[in-house]
């Protein structure tokens, strides 16, 4: 049976050219709140085995998912900010992330005030493709000496390298939907291993 | 009596130089979920007199507030995206917004797919200062022929022109906290008119 996100992808997702999946009608431009809330519960059900005390994400599309996940855990969200902001200051952990969507490298920053060696972190994001954003966040977690407990991804592009890279690093990765391939406008989901 | 946001500002807010209020420990970097959820309920209580069918905000700091507000209304969020994104395409309403925080002009975009003349929109955002972001969003709403029902602001800087500008345009503005002034590191809130 498909979960809530998988159903939404199959019903509403649109394959654009260049293997881009358009899901901005419910995920990353318009936000379907009951769906995102269910995704938060799904992440909680999987990761509640850990003592998570902070949910980390990257602005902007990860924030809604992170909020509803953090709500289930009863913990705060911290979102990495892109670029340099006056309000963040120099007291930050930083990493460079190449954005394929924007076609450029952006710096992501997390204030040292909100991440440290006491933190047990769940990183959540909307997409996992090549793992560029995930690598940046992992680098920031490394700098902070926090502990990465797991990575929760809404949509993993299974035909790109990010998922394998994280799993081979021993990271507990849980993707709500894995796109196996997109062909002639059709979306093929990878069957999840349930047992 | 102070509301939840006003209490958080007085307990945790820090006055930085240049009249910048640092609230990134609960609002716009780290996110205190129960607080944001309460803010969503507060916006709902004020704006439920209208038939809102969409909550509009601007990435990134507005997203969490918009989500918990939209949840109370049972409607989706649409967030304006900054810059030009491949996934949004050319089919967008656009406006230019000068960001004082970043010291540059950015373009904000909303896809024409997610805003149209049937929409009765509540715009929410984290800060209102000079009203630059609000003006940009109002311009986008004008282009879409949607109806702006109200503007919900978390923190209004009462000593800057944005609030007066919106009110004088006949817009129903509701700010959860209005900063009257910041002096010698102290924050002075404007008393809300309750009756």
């Amino acid at each position: 049976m498909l979960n809530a996100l998988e159903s939404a992808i199959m019903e509403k997702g649109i394959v654009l050219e260049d293997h881009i999946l358009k899901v901005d009608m419910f995920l990353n431009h318009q936000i379907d709140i009951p769906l995102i809330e269910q995704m938060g519960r799904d992440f909680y059900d999987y990761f509640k085995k850990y003592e998570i005390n902070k949910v980390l994400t990257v602005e902007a599309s990860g924030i809604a998912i992170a909020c509803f996940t953090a709500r289930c855990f009863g913990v705060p969200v911290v979102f990495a900010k892109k670029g340099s902001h006056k309000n963040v200051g120099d007291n930050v952990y930083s990493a460079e992330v190449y954005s394929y969507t924007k076609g450029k490298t952006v710096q992501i920053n997390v204030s040292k005030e909100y991440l440290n060696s006491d933190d047990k972190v769940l990183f959540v994001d909307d997409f996992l493709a090549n793992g560029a954003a995930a690598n940046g966040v992992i680098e920031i977690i490394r700098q902070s000496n926090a502990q990465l407990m797991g990575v929760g991804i809404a949509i993993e592009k299974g035909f790109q390298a990010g998922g394998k890279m994280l799993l081979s690093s021993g990271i507990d990765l849980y993707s709500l939907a894995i796109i196996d391939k997109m062909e002639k406008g059709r979306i093929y989901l990878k069957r999840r291993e349930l047992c």
Side-chain angles (χ1 to χ4, degrees), chain A:
Chain A
M1 207 182 78
L2 300 183
N3 66 30
L5 176 60
E6 288 172 322
S7 297
I9 291 169
M10 296 311 286
E11 284 167 25
K12 299 173 192 161
I14 296 167
V15 180
L16 301 179
E17 49 186 338
D18 297 318
H19 299 281
I20 295 174
L21 177 63
K22 178 179 159 74
V23 286
D24 65 359
M25 64 294 284
F26 58 82
L27 190 66
N28 50 10
H29 188 10
Q30 183 165 253
I31 301 174
D32 177 334
I33 302 293
L35 171 62
I36 303 286
E37 205 170 338
Q38 182 56 47
M39 290 164 56
R41 281 191 290 265
D42 291 344
F43 281 135
Y44 176 73
D45 285 341
Y46 183 84
F47 289 109
K48 66 186 175 193
K49 58 190 171 184
Y50 302 121
E51 280 184 47
I52 307 288
N53 78 321
K54 209 159 269 182
V55 176
L56 187 62
T57 190
V58 179
E59 68 175 8
S61 311
I63 294 175
I65 304 166
C67 282
F68 287 107
T69 305
R71 184 170 180 270
C72 293
F73 280 99
V75 304
V77 165
V78 172
F79 64 89
K81 295 191 167 198
K82 290 172 181 167
S84 59
H85 290 247
K86 282 183 195 166
N87 289 15
V88 172
D90 298 323
N91 190 35
V92 294
Y93 310 112
S94 289
E96 303 278 314
V97 173
Y98 182 76
S99 163
Y100 291 86
T101 315
K102 294 188 180 177
K104 64 177 183 183
T105 298
V106 294
Q107 188 178 309
I108 60 170
N109 306 292
V110 173
S111 167
K112 291 182 183 173
E113 296 174 81
Y114 310 128
L115 200 62
N116 62 56
S117 57
D118 293 335
D119 288 323
K120 293 171 191 289
V121 175
L122 173 62
F123 167 54
V124 304
D125 210 356
D126 58 341
F127 271 99
L128 175 65
N130 291 296
N135 272 336
V137 168
I138 289 167
E139 166 60 20
I140 279 175
I141 291 171
R142 192 197 59 74
Q143 289 171 24
S144 73
N145 291 314
Q147 202 177 336
L148 176 62
M149 307 307 289
V151 175
I153 296 294
I155 303 177
E156 178 186 336
K157 291 180 173 171
F159 52 88
Q160 289 183 266
K164 285 199 184 79
M165 180 197 72
L166 295 179
L167 290 171
S168 70
S169 309
I171 288 170
D172 193 350
L173 168 67
Y174 181 62
S175 302
L176 296 179
I178 302 178
I179 310 295
D180 204 19
K181 59 179 178 176
M182 294 188 278
E183 227 171 55
K184 295 179 182 166
R186 268 199 69 179
I187 302 160
Y188 296 83
L189 291 176
K190 188 175 170 188
R191 285 187 84 115
R192 281 166 298 123
E193 290 162 27
L194 294 170
C195 299

Coordinates of all heavy atoms in Angstrom, one line a residue, chain A residues 4 90 97 148 167 174:
Chain A
A4 N 1.0 8.2 2.3 CA 0.4 9.4 1.9 C 1.2 10.2 0.9 O 0.6 10.7 -0.1 CB 0.1 10.3 3.2
D90 N 29.0 35.8 12.6 CA 30.1 35.0 12.1 C 30.2 33.7 13.0 O 31.0 32.8 12.6 CB 31.4 35.8 12.3 CG 31.4 37.0 11.4 OD1 30.9 36.9 10.3 OD2 32.0 38.0 11.8
V97 N 27.4 24.1 -0.6 CA 26.5 23.1 -1.2 C 26.2 23.5 -2.6 O 25.8 24.7 -2.9 CB 25.1 23.0 -0.4 CG1 24.1 22.1 -1.2 CG2 25.3 22.5 1.0
L148 N 24.6 12.7 14.6 CA 23.5 12.5 13.6 C 22.9 11.2 13.8 O 23.5 10.1 13.6 CB 24.1 12.6 12.2 CG 23.1 12.3 11.0 CD1 22.0 13.4 11.0 CD2 23.9 12.3 9.7
L167 N 23.8 5.5 3.0 CA 23.7 4.2 3.5 C 25.1 3.6 3.7 O 25.3 2.9 4.7 CB 22.8 3.3 2.7 CG 21.3 3.6 2.6 CD1 20.6 2.8 1.6 CD2 20.7 3.4 4.0
Y174 N 15.9 7.1 6.0 CA 14.5 6.6 5.8 C 13.9 7.6 4.8 O 13.7 8.8 5.1 CB 13.7 6.6 7.1 CG 12.3 6.1 6.9 CD1 12.0 4.8 6.4 CD2 11.3 6.9 7.3 CE1 10.7 4.4 6.3 CE2 9.9 6.5 7.1 CZ 9.7 5.2 6.6 OH 8.4 4.8 6.5

